[in-house]
Amino acid sequence: MELNRYIDHTLLKASATEAQILQLCDEAIKYNFYSVCVNSSYVAIAKEALGRSNVKICTVVGFPLGAMSTEAKIFEAKKAIEQGASEIDMVMNIGRLKSKNHVAVLKDISDVKRSIGLIPLKVILEISELSKNEIVKACEICVDAKADFIKTSTGFSKSGATLTAVKIMKKTVRDHLKIKASGGISDAETALKYIEVGVHRIGSSSGVAMMTSQTSDSTY
């Protein structure tokens, strides 16, 4: 198992500079990560920096709150794809979910998915804001909306991924959706634990540290 191919090498902080985005891309090429994950304004820079490498570009939409209009999310997603994004991570409207306005949550996700076609859509649940029952309902909605992945966290809330939440997510979606764990995963040992319970992708800004700690291991 190649850990590097599970990693979305991530830099989403507001203070990220263009030079840091370029460094992120260089690291992704060096370690052959699955993708870089950047804010949408940096997609074009990442596209140029990655050149003909097989590293994909993931970008975030409605980030980090998820509370903007569906139309705004669609515009941001489509513009990012035009500029080179190959995957979209959108934030669920958590307030609508907690209001039990499940129809609105479903429409928000399904409209974005419909607008981007075959481009993979990951829906960020922000598990630190949700009860167990709300996590289950969020997962069920994502299945109905025909998303491709569910994702634990933005990394900008109270806490990130937990194994307990991922197990709930996996039990709910079974094989209908893939799972991305993100938020607080900073070492290879922890990443492997998530993969063992069924995670398909790891979002982390610590990909290089994971790889350098694995240099003598067959994982990489």
Side-chain angles (χ1 to χ4, degrees), residues 65-138:
L65 302 178
M68 45 291 294
S69 69
T70 302
E71 291 78 11
K73 292 178 180 177
I74 289 172
F75 180 85
E76 187 177 15
K78 292 174 74 171
K79 188 67 176 179
I81 292 165
E82 288 175 11
Q83 294 180 336
S86 42
E87 296 187 342
I88 300 294
D89 289 16
M90 71 167 281
V91 185
M92 177 180 282
N93 191 317
I94 301 302
R96 288 273 171 82
L97 181 74
K98 296 184 82 68
S99 300
K100 301 188 185 306
N101 191 343
H102 300 148
V103 172
V105 178
L106 174 64
K107 187 176 188 303
D108 187 46
I109 299 167
S110 58
D111 284 359
V112 173
K113 178 56 186 174
R114 191 177 302 111
S115 75
I116 65 175
L118 297 177
I119 299 292
L121 177 66
K122 308 189 198 88
V123 181
I124 306 172
L125 309 187
E126 201 68 281
I127 58 170
S128 65
E129 302 291 337
L130 304 178
S131 68
K132 176 182 176 179
N133 288 341
E134 287 169 337
I135 292 172
V136 170
K137 188 61 184 180

